[in-house]
Amino acid sequence: MNKMIRRGVALGLALAVTVTAASASNALGWDLHKSSVPISQGTALGTNIFWSDTYSDLRTEYFVSYTPNTNVVPTVAYGDKVLSKATLSGMAQSLESQGKRVVSGLNGDWYVMATGATTGLVVTNGGVRATSYYNDSWAIGFNADGTAFIGQPGLTTTVSFGGQSYPLTGAINKIRQAYKNGVGGLTLMTSDFSATTQNTKPGVDVVLTPVDDGTGTSPLQPTIGQTVRYTVDQVLESTGAIPIPEGKAVLTLNGEEDANLLAALRALQPGSEVTLSITAADARWNTVTEALGGVSKIVTNGQVASGLDPSRTACSAVGIKADGTVVFYAIDGKQSGHSVGATISQVAQRLVELGCVDAISMDGGGSTTIGVTYPDQNGMQVVNKPSDGAQRSNSTAIFLTTTLQPTGQLAGYYITPSDKMLLAGAQVQLSAAGLDSSYYLTQGNPVGWSVTSGGGSVSETGLYTAGTESGFSQVTASDGLYTGTAYLTTVKTPDSISVSNESTGAAVTSLNLDPGQQVDLKASAVYRKLALTAQDTCFTWSVSGGVGTVDQNGLFTAGEKSGTGTLTVSAGGKTTTIQVSVAGHIKTLEKGEGDLSTFISTPSLTAAPETGLDYVHNGKQSVKLTYQAGETGVASLSTSLSIPAGESWLGMWVYGDGSGNTLMATANGQGGQQFLLTALDFTGWRYVMVELPQGTASITELSVVYGGGEGKQSGVIWLDQLVTANEQLTDTTAPTITIQASGTQLTATVSDNMDKTIPQGNLTLTYDGAPLQFTWNESAGTLSATLPAADNGYHRVTLVAGDASGNLARASADISPATQRTSPFGDMAGHWAEPYATFLYDQGISQGTGGDVPQYQPNRNITRAEFFAMVAHWMDLDPALYSGVELPFADKDQIPDWAINEVKAMYSLGLLQGAETAGGVMCNPTATITRAEAITLLGRIQAKGYTQADLSAFTDAAQVPAWAAEYTGILVAQGVVAGTNDQIRPNGLLTRGEVAKLLYAML
């Protein structure tokens, strides 16, 4: 490479503007970040971010600075035809397919969005592809050497034939319009325009062929300052659009225009000559190779134009500096958190700040698009964010292209990343790749690194560490001859700090952890809505409240005991605080439901399922242990209860027999350590929790040890809901459920005060009592389901959730008929219980009495037999299956035949127990039933484990019989029993209307 070439390359690679201290743009706001990237000879991309105090938001600009040279040349482009709109990327790809490397691209002039027709001048490769209707329109012109100017072409376009000259008032390659106010009328369309003339009305079309005189002096396409000669091929009376043959032109006029002009066109004959002349008022336009119209001139001699559009949006413009440098400019808009845009006046002022003395605006808004080809890429990339959310297909664009090929001759370095915003103390690894004289990547030499401006430090390998103070920095890689630069901004005090889970990326606003649990946290910082590059070590981490420890990398380790405290993360005086709760957990070990295969009976100690509700604490079954200590004084059975790792406590509900014996357990196999569960010195249910021997992996044996003295060698005890925990805990609080139905979509959330998640197996969703499929997000605690389409009936959907300790909760949503429903019962119109009775009818539970129009009799007190029968049907039982049951009731002969099997079903299932009297156990089938009696029977249908409400809010709470108190509290908590006027009226008689509501609410 000779010295002159080398000098030119060195200048080309050193286009970056030096960034020093923080400053402000009077046009756009405070400087937040600046960068410059060389992209080709004499060409660099600048990206600047500003903060606007006016809008408390960002402005982001992009500009390509171009020093005119013959290796990188301006190139105007459009789609396949003038009317063919295309995205900036699509136009770039078309140029690339022609063997050109697209250095940069910017969207062009206004156009008619409906048709794609350009509004201003378009010149490519010296040929006029379109002219403007107006002589006072503005355009930017480029010469073959890349130099540019902005002016008003003031083109005069005429066609001559038959000894007369006619103004081309309809312009070149515009949609033909009716002549009005000096615009429209006679129009010339070349094959660049479209495949057809696009005319929609009748007119005269003259098909022309350009004449090649063989000397090369007569152009074959419209050219400013020259005349094109055509011969007539055809003169057509067209009714609409006609094809435009490739390489030819059509002179066209609407059939309703000037009669003399139409006659002159019709007088043309094949072979007649037509000439086109384009002259410019400004002679500079005679030599342009590329030109593109613009919206308006916004800067003249360094002064901003007045009367510009005041709207704020995304903008595009082209400016020219005094030294001839051309600036292709774009600012994004309408995107809070990225760029709020600017007015045209602000853009003009900004271009003046960049040194421009003249500037022209291009199409803005969603059309604003700018792209570059980075040295390490093979195609143009859009670098801004178009406000439409994607690139808009526009009519024209202006590119910088080059046909330079790789030389392999090192001329500089391309640094990646080329720019970053960092939190004080943050690190970023920089890399230097060699650039050849054509700005292609090539093999480089070993480089040294240095901070040439601003703060921070850089290692021998290019690892940059931001300093402790805010500011702009430049880091340079150099091999002693050639260099490359990265632009880095340091922020000392961020606006906000957030924390996320390193493994999942989920935001962390609070921590709820088990003792000893670890979570790897990641801190992030934002300044003026911009994310800052940072590592966890850039922040100060601290913990209060003794809830754990955290290291400099954000690894939090919870303490070994339950407690609450805070995790504080800070940087540069900015702090965020996260509430931390360390709480033990409970895991289900054995629910006591199902086949109980984990308990292996022996002659001395047998395990059997117990469904009698008095001996079930959670769910619908417990473990009944019948023991016979015998002469040895010990009754034992084997178990296979595996203890999860990390669990140190064992809990269970025990129904003691008051024997004074002891219940023991053995850990970890034969010869393992035996430990005490509880002394059986109590009667009824008691929660027992004991610490497991260290290292317990399983419980292999349960034993009842005879206590001697007044103790009993044989007896029965019950166990239910065995759990493990990592510390001594008792959970008697049910989960919390919210549920909502909208149309066919059901959503619900489930959370628990202790259990972090609830497995799907602990959830049941029903629709009118039948199971309904659902989707469960366990980590989020959210449920979704699709409901059947609304019909003419009432429906109820219910979700039941259980936690690890067996506590149950339920919530329901009501579905109303799609249209107004008429009751099937003749006596229910307007009655408050009409929806519930209608539901019972639809479900086949109660068909009422009477003839053609059944009666429900909502205000009549219901008999016990009627109630038992209705509940049996509500439970969807088959009464015939219970016909062989022997009833113990002394008054069983009084049970009506229509209810006998239903009563047997209620008795067999343990729901009906009867009443002890002197005459024996009585069923009282013909007596009316009280509210307390009905509530108790309904309560026995449900699983055990539901929360009981405090009944003290009711003025007659003391009247609730002891045998009904538990179930009354449960159904009040569920909203099944609401009371009236602060009274439960437990001894009041139940009406059929009230029964309908109870059964509906129980679903």
Side-chain angles (χ1 to χ4, degrees), residues 802-827:
D803 64 15
S805 299
N807 302 304
L808 299 175
R810 73 191 295 267
S812 302
D814 297 322
I815 312 298
S816 299
T819 58
Q820 187 172 358
R821 178 70 185 277
T822 300
S823 173
F825 298 111
D827 56 352

Side-chain angles (χ1 to χ4, degrees), residues 904-963:
K904 289 180 177 181
M906 294 295 99
Y907 170 75
S908 178
L909 295 174
L911 304 177
L912 170 62
Q913 297 176 356
E916 291 279 358
T917 67
V921 179
M922 308 298 285
C923 175
N924 298 319
T926 59
T928 53
I929 194 168
T930 68
R931 291 169 61 83
E933 290 171 333
I935 287 171
T936 299
L937 187 143
L938 292 177
R940 287 172 177 164
I941 294 173
Q942 292 187 333
K944 288 292 194 76
Y946 285 104
T947 298
Q948 296 184 47
D950 181 4
L951 300 180
S952 62
F954 297 97
T955 59
D956 58 351
Q959 298 177 25
V960 178
W963 46 264

Side-chain angles (χ1 to χ4, degrees), residues 370-589:
I370 189 169
V372 301
T373 300
Y374 290 105
D376 58 349
Q377 295 174 342
N378 292 322
M380 191 202 75
Q381 308 293 314
V382 171
V383 295
N384 76 314
K385 295 182 179 179
S387 59
D388 284 352
Q391 294 183 67
R392 180 182 289 180
S393 291
N394 294 322
S395 178
T396 58
I398 177 67
F399 293 90
L400 295 173
T401 64
T402 182
T403 56
L404 288 171
Q405 297 300 308
T407 65
Q409 297 174 330
L410 184 64
Y413 288 93
Y414 177 62
I415 310 302
T416 54
S418 58
D419 67 294
K420 280 285 183 181
M421 291 188 69
L422 302 94
L423 182 64
Q427 293 184 321
V428 60
Q429 180 64 55
L430 304 175
S431 299
L435 278 182
D436 70 10
S437 56
S438 295
Y439 285 70
Y440 291 89
L441 295 185
T442 190
Q443 182 66 41
N445 297 318
V447 296
W449 294 88
S450 61
V451 178
T452 53
S453 175
S457 61
V458 64
S459 71
E460 294 180 354
T461 60
L463 180 64
Y464 175 78
T465 303
T468 58
E469 299 297 326
S470 296
F472 301 135
S473 299
Q474 292 183 18
V475 178
T476 299
S478 175
D479 63 4
L481 181 60
Y482 301 112
T483 63
T485 303
Y487 298 83
L488 306 166
T489 300
T490 298
V491 174
K492 177 180 180 180
T493 303
D495 291 334
S496 65
I497 297 172
S498 59
V499 178
S500 60
N501 186 306
E502 183 78 62
S503 61
T504 66
V508 174
T509 55
S510 63
L511 288 172
N512 183 16
L513 304 174
D514 291 335
Q517 183 179 350
Q518 286 189 324
V519 57
D520 193 2
L521 302 174
K522 177 180 177 61
S524 302
V526 170
Y527 179 69
R528 296 293 191 262
K529 302 187 180 183
L530 296 169
L532 302 177
T533 296
Q535 291 79 42
D536 288 334
T537 52
C538 301
F539 301 87
T540 300
W541 303 76
S542 61
V543 180
S544 66
V547 290
T549 60
V550 64
D551 66 14
Q552 63 178 354
N553 293 307
L555 180 63
F556 184 90
T557 304
E560 293 301 324
K561 298 294 183 181
S562 295
T564 58
T566 58
L567 168 67
T568 300
V569 187
S570 60
K574 191 67 178 182
T575 297
T576 188
T577 301
I578 294 172
Q579 297 298 316
V580 179
S581 175
V582 178
H585 62 250
I586 293 176
K587 295 182 179 180
T588 304
L589 183 64

Side-chain angles (χ1 to χ4, degrees), residues 126-147:
V128 175
R129 312 303 170 181
T131 58
S132 174
Y133 288 123
Y134 306 101
N135 284 338
D136 60 351
S137 61
W138 292 92
I140 182 167
F142 299 94
N143 298 310
D145 60 1
T147 57

Side-chain angles (χ1 to χ4, degrees), residues 211-229:
V211 176
D212 183 357
D213 63 3
T215 66
T217 59
S218 177
L220 299 179
Q221 58 191 6
T223 305
I224 299 175
Q226 297 188 53
T227 297
V228 182
R229 294 171 54 219

Side-chain angles (χ1 to χ4, degrees), residues 344-390:
I344 293 295
S345 292
Q346 288 173 312
V347 169
Q349 185 180 1
R350 178 60 184 154
L351 287 169
V352 171
E353 291 176 348
L354 292 174
C356 295
V357 294
D358 289 296
I360 187 172
S361 64
M362 295 295 174
D363 195 4
S367 295
T368 295
T369 318
I370 189 169
V372 301
T373 300
Y374 290 105
D376 58 349
Q377 295 174 342
N378 292 322
M380 191 202 75
Q381 308 293 314
V382 171
V383 295
N384 76 314
K385 295 182 179 179
S387 59
D388 284 352

Side-chain angles (χ1 to χ4, degrees), residues 263-349:
L265 290 175
R266 290 175 176 133
L268 289 170
Q269 299 295 320
S272 298
E273 183 175 286
V274 176
T275 60
L276 169 68
S277 175
I278 305 175
T279 59
D282 184 343
R284 292 179 299 174
W285 296 96
N286 292 336
T287 58
V288 297
T289 56
E290 308 286 322
L292 187 60
V295 176
S296 62
K297 193 176 186 188
I298 58 176
V299 176
T300 301
N301 296 325
Q303 299 299 310
V304 175
S306 61
L308 298 175
D309 185 350
S311 59
R312 175 171 51 88
T313 185
C315 299
S316 305
V318 182
I320 303 174
K321 296 184 181 182
D323 64 0
T325 300
V326 182
V327 176
F328 300 92
Y329 183 90
I331 184 169
D332 282 334
K334 299 182 179 180
Q335 300 174 77
S336 180
H338 169 64
S339 187
V340 295
T343 67
I344 293 295
S345 292
Q346 288 173 312
V347 169
Q349 185 180 1

